[in-house]
Amino acid sequence: MTTEGDPAPTRVQKFGEYVSDAARAAGYDIDSPRGGGKKALAEKAGMSHASVSRMLAGQTIPDPKFFESLADALNLEVGRMLVEAGVLSERALSYEELRPPQEIDPREVARSLGITAPDKIEAFVAMAKALAEPDEQHASRRSA
């Protein structure tokens, strides 16, 4: 809860807190002036020491080109980090929202692989259908 004299933290401050917590959890000693954690994080993420210091202090959000390497350095999912940075919404992070499922036509796949003989295309389709069956269904067919 915030009071009149204590404004709500900004998006940049929230991101700085999130990354700081993640850095500590990943084993970076970012609180000790001689711990070397900020320098190690900067090196691992490919960022400057000054940029990492400003980010951890809640003063800036890094350039988007560093999100993936920063997430890797902190053992975070890059999508979650983008939500915390305010770049993506929770809704946009959802795979279903980003990419609706598409039907794949095995015949088109066969042709794209250079399979052109009708009998080979049908064999490819049969194999694809068998492989796509849930494992339980396939196992029950073998035992029947």
Side-chain angles (χ1 to χ4, degrees):
M1 182 196 278
T2 60
T3 62
E4 214 173 292
D6 184 24
T10 65
R11 176 174 65 96
V12 175
Q13 290 168 331
K14 287 180 188 177
F15 184 73
E17 185 177 328
Y18 171 76
V19 173
S20 294
D21 290 345
R24 288 183 195 99
Y28 293 98
D29 183 5
I30 61 169
D31 299 310
S32 169
R34 296 184 185 235
K38 291 178 186 176
K39 182 180 178 188
L41 177 57
E43 287 174 3
K44 184 112 185 207
M47 298 172 64
S48 72
H49 183 271
S51 293
V52 168
S53 292
R54 286 192 304 272
M55 174 185 64
L56 295 173
Q59 298 170 344
T60 186
I61 291 177
D63 187 285
K65 69 182 179 184
F66 294 111
F67 281 136
E68 191 169 346
S69 60
L70 180 60
D72 288 344
L74 297 172
N75 302 315
L76 297 173
E77 292 180 13
V78 71
R80 171 60 35 214
M81 197 172 71
L82 292 172
V83 169
E84 295 298 330
V87 175
L88 284 180
S89 68
E90 285 287 340
R91 182 173 167 220
L93 183 60
S94 163
Y95 179 79
E96 291 77 21
E97 290 292 327
L98 292 175
R99 224 178 267 180
Q102 298 175 346
E103 287 293 320
I104 298 172
D105 180 3
R107 285 175 179 79
E108 287 180 30
V109 174
R111 288 184 198 101
S112 73
L113 292 171
I115 302 169
T116 56
D119 59 328
K120 289 183 178 181
I121 290 174
E122 291 311 312
F124 183 88
V125 169
M127 180 188 67
K129 285 182 181 178
L131 291 171
E133 286 181 354
D135 288 339
E136 313 84 51
Q137 199 174 9
H138 186 68
S140 67
R141 261 198 205 156
R142 282 188 301 188
S143 62

